[in-house]
């Protein structure tokens, strides 16, 4: 517990400043209150002003001193709860930036209490929260284990504690990636930094912690070749021999994604109610529940043929397809002969690695979305119009989905030369 005492700066002076002396964990901090008082009205044994008729300000000063004492105790309690013992200079800084709402918001709460509240908030506002509930939580827990310290806002804020360096080192070298190797790609690191900043800004907005710079968590990225399927590839998928009824459902669902541009979590959950006349009406799961945003997507000829096979409703989907979807569609694409060589430079554990794979090996459920955006663009549809269907809100994000190789770019824009 912090012990707070009040003394006059110069006991011999007729009029002087009141100082607060704080003792905690073997440290002593001297804090100027900014309050002046005449020596004759000060009771040193009680460390308060004498409340006398001739000294009308005495009671008000005492109330202010009581508030200062409570503020100092709250600052100490809040940081002690988070496992942090402030240095004397940091304690003074905290006092100068004192905000009653900030300090009294949730003295009984720690970092993870705020994180759980954040997750519940996201659950109410977003349909899909796995990026925060699973990925961000997992990585924060792992880095907490790595550094052997409980996560806290002061830990993240402190330049001396170097949390940003520990966090980046963990993501780049110690976290397991989707290939079962150590070290996340720059794009994945950037995504985790973005998600962390979303959480911290949420805390800033609610005064759960004081502001600090987030520049130490950069949104880094790397241009990595992600495949899309050409119209010829799609025809190959249409004509491939399917071995099981499950393969047919997966292949047809893949076409639904390619023809609508929807995310995997949206196109696998389409229902008959989403089909109105020759359009699909859907509210994307990754957008805010309160935004009311709805997409209206015309039904293409290919999609119309698929829907007719299922009595004019989307192909049936079962939960066990989620983990098998990518594996199944790759197997189908391999038999269809979608086997162009794909050469990539990827950064793993801080080193650039050259990899060569077959096109079918790079196909995932998200390939549908890239295929939709790229093929529509190549057909001459304006970017702004495609964004209305894909749900992209910024051209910067949208252009990442346009996977134009050098040959197709040259053919499309030959007329400009």
């Amino acid at each position: 517990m912090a012990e707070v005492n009040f003394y006059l700066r110069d006991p011999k002076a007729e009029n002087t400043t009141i100082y607060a002396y704080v003792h905690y964990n073997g440290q002593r901090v001297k804090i100027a209150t900014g309050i002046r008082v005449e020596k004759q009205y000060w009771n040193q044994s009680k460390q308060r002003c004498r409340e006398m008729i001739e000294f009308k300000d005495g009671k008000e000063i005492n109330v202010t001193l009581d508030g200062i004492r409570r503020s100092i105790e709250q600052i100490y309690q809040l940081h002690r709860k988070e496992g942090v013992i402030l240095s004397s200079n940091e304690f003074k800084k905290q006092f100068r930036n004192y905000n009653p709402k900030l300090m009294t918001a949730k003295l009984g709460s720690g970092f993870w209490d705020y994180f759980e509240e954040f997750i519940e908030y996201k659950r109410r506002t977003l349909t899909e929260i796995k990026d925060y509930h699973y990925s961000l939580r997992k990585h924060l827990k792992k880095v907490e284990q790595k550094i052997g310290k409980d996560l806290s806002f002061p830990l993240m804020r402190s330049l001396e504690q170097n949390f940003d360096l520990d966090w980046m080192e963990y993501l780049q070298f110690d976290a397991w990636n989707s290939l079962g190797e150590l070290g996340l790609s720059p794009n994945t690191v950037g995504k985790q930094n973005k998600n962390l900043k979303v959480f911290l800004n949420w805390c800033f907005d609610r005064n759960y912690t004081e502001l600090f710079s987030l520049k130490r968590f950069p949104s880094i990225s790397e241009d990595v070749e992600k495949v899309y399927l050409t119209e010829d590839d799609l025809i190959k998928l249409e004509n491939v021999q399917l071995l099981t009824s499950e393969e047919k459902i997966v292949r047809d669902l893949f076409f639904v994604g390619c023809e609508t541009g929807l995310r995997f979590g949206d196109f696998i959950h389409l229902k008959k109610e989403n089909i109105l006349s020759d359009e699909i009406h859907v509210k994307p799961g990754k957008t805010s529940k309160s935004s009311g945003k709805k997409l209206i997507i015309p039904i293409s000829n290919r999609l119309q043929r698929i829907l007719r096979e299922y009595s004019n409703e989307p192909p049936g989907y079962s939960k066990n397809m989620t983990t098998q979807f990518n594996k199944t569609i790759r197997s189908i694409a391999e038999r269809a002969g979608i086997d162009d060589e794909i050469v990539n430079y990827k950064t793993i554990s801080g080193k650039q690695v050259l990899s060569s794979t077959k096109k079918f090996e790079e196909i995932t459920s998200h390939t549908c979305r890239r295929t939709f955006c790229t093929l529509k663009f190549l057909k001459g549809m304006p970017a702004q119009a495609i964004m209305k269907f894909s749900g992209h809100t910024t051209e910067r994000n949208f252009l990442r989905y346009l996977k134009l190789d050098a040959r197709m770019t040259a053919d499309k824009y030959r007329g400009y030369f």
Side-chain angles (χ1 to χ4, degrees):
M1 186 65 182
E3 179 183 347
V4 184
N5 296 294
F6 294 101
Y7 297 96
L8 298 182
R9 180 178 180 275
D10 184 358
K12 297 180 179 180
E14 292 299 322
N15 188 298
T16 189
T17 304
I18 301 173
Y19 269 75
Y21 289 79
V22 187
H23 297 266
Y24 65 97
N25 297 92
Q27 298 197 64
R28 178 174 178 268
V29 182
K30 180 181 176 183
I31 298 175
T33 66
I35 302 172
R36 299 184 68 87
V37 65
E38 292 184 30
K39 181 177 64 175
Q40 60 177 320
Y41 298 127
W42 180 252
N43 186 331
Q44 187 53 58
S45 62
K46 294 184 178 181
Q47 300 180 20
R48 291 295 185 276
C49 290
R50 304 178 191 275
E51 298 183 11
M52 306 168 63
I53 296 177
E54 60 267 31
F55 184 48
K56 297 179 180 180
D57 294 333
K59 186 175 183 178
E60 183 177 344
I61 291 176
N62 288 340
V63 169
T64 302
L65 294 178
D66 288 339
I68 290 173
R69 176 183 55 78
R70 286 194 299 270
S71 301
I72 290 172
E73 290 174 349
Q74 287 168 0
I75 292 170
Y76 174 81
Q77 290 171 11
L78 178 64
H79 292 87
R80 183 60 184 269
K81 172 70 177 178
E82 295 177 332
V84 175
I85 304 300
L86 297 173
S87 66
S88 58
N89 287 335
E90 185 64 23
F91 206 111
K92 288 181 181 180
K93 180 181 176 182
Q94 292 283 321
F95 180 79
R96 287 195 298 270
N97 297 329
Y98 171 68
N99 181 329
K101 184 178 180 181
L102 170 65
M103 292 303 173
T104 60
K106 286 192 175 182
L107 285 175
S109 299
F111 177 88
W112 289 109
D113 297 301
Y114 294 117
F115 188 83
E116 295 302 334
E117 184 181 339
F118 167 74
I119 293 299
E120 289 307 309
Y121 170 79
K122 285 297 182 183
R123 201 186 302 278
R124 294 193 303 271
T125 56
L126 294 178
T127 303
E128 182 56 72
I129 64 168
K130 65 180 181 180
D131 284 350
Y132 306 107
H133 186 42
Y134 295 110
S135 298
L136 182 59
R137 180 197 300 275
K138 175 185 70 176
H139 292 307
L140 287 172
K141 286 287 187 182
K142 289 292 185 180
V143 79
E144 188 175 55
Q145 295 173 12
K146 171 183 169 64
I147 64 179
K149 299 177 183 178
D150 293 337
L151 292 188
S152 66
F153 297 126
L155 173 68
M156 292 182 171
R157 182 172 59 244
S158 171
L159 294 176
E160 291 78 15
Q161 296 283 347
N162 291 321
F163 170 79
D164 55 318
L165 299 181
D166 291 329
W167 168 253
M168 291 294 287
E169 181 180 282
Y170 158 76
L171 293 177
Q172 293 175 324
F173 301 102
D174 299 331
W176 292 96
N177 60 38
S178 59
L179 300 177
E181 303 169 343
L182 289 176
L184 302 181
S185 69
N187 290 334
T188 306
V189 172
K191 182 177 182 179
Q192 294 307 317
N193 280 344
K194 177 183 75 67
N195 293 339
L196 176 59
K197 287 189 285 190
V198 169
F199 166 58
L200 291 174
N201 279 316
W202 179 86
C203 293
F204 295 157
D205 290 343
R206 284 156 181 77
N207 286 319
Y208 288 169
T209 182
E210 65 181 77
L211 287 169
F212 57 90
S213 175
L214 300 182
K215 292 181 179 179
R216 291 173 285 164
F217 307 106
S219 299
I220 60 176
S221 63
E222 178 183 50
D223 188 16
V224 177
E225 183 65 26
K226 295 291 186 179
V227 302
Y228 73 96
L229 301 191
T230 66
E231 188 60 39
D232 288 342
D233 291 333
L234 295 179
I235 291 174
K236 289 180 181 179
L237 277 183
E238 280 186 311
N239 297 328
V240 71
Q241 182 177 0
L242 301 173
L243 305 180
T244 65
S245 58
E246 181 178 297
E247 277 197 347
K248 176 171 173 52
I249 292 175
V250 169
R251 192 277 309 272
D252 291 346
L253 280 171
F254 187 84
F255 275 133
V256 172
C258 291
E259 297 300 314
T260 62
L262 294 172
R263 297 180 179 89
F264 178 69
D266 293 322
F267 72 71
I268 64 172
H269 291 128
L270 286 176
K271 298 179 181 179
K272 193 171 185 177
E273 292 75 17
N274 295 114
I275 301 174
L276 302 176
S277 184
D278 59 348
E279 299 171 340
I280 288 179
H281 293 238
V282 61
K283 185 177 179 181
K286 203 170 182 180
T287 57
S288 170
K289 289 181 179 179
S290 60
S291 69
K293 182 178 181 181
K294 182 173 71 173
L295 302 179
I296 300 178
I297 306 168
I299 296 176
S300 68
N301 292 333
R302 177 181 282 123
L303 182 53
Q304 189 67 60
R305 292 196 299 270
I306 292 173
L307 294 176
R308 279 200 295 266
E309 293 186 39
Y310 295 87
S311 301
N312 290 319
E313 61 181 289
Y317 166 78
S318 59
K319 288 185 177 180
N320 62 353
M321 286 184 185
T322 302
T323 55
Q324 295 297 319
F325 189 94
N326 289 342
K327 182 179 179 180
T328 302
I329 194 61
R330 286 169 186 157
S331 176
I332 296 171
E334 181 180 12
R335 293 204 308 275
I338 304 175
D339 55 5
D340 297 338
E341 186 178 18
I342 305 296
V343 178
N344 254 326
Y345 281 96
K346 297 181 180 180
T347 302
I348 302 294
S349 294
K351 298 179 181 178
Q352 273 207 336
V353 178
L354 175 64
S355 65
S356 176
T357 59
K358 297 296 185 180
K359 191 172 185 177
F360 68 82
E361 296 178 284
E362 298 293 321
I363 295 176
T364 70
S365 59
H366 211 64
T367 304
C368 306
R369 192 161 162 81
R370 294 192 186 93
T371 298
F372 174 87
C373 293
T374 304
L375 292 186
K376 290 292 184 287
F377 185 77
L378 289 173
K379 288 179 180 179
M381 183 180 288
Q384 289 294 334
I386 303 174
M387 290 169 61
K388 292 293 184 182
F389 297 123
S390 67
H392 287 99
T393 55
T394 66
E395 287 194 21
R396 177 183 177 184
N397 287 334
F398 171 73
L399 291 173
R400 293 171 55 202
Y401 281 80
L402 296 185
K403 298 302 177 182
L404 307 180
D405 58 33
R407 175 76 271 155
M408 297 190 78
T409 302
D411 290 343
K412 179 173 177 60
Y413 294 105
R414 189 175 303 279
Y416 289 88
F417 291 86

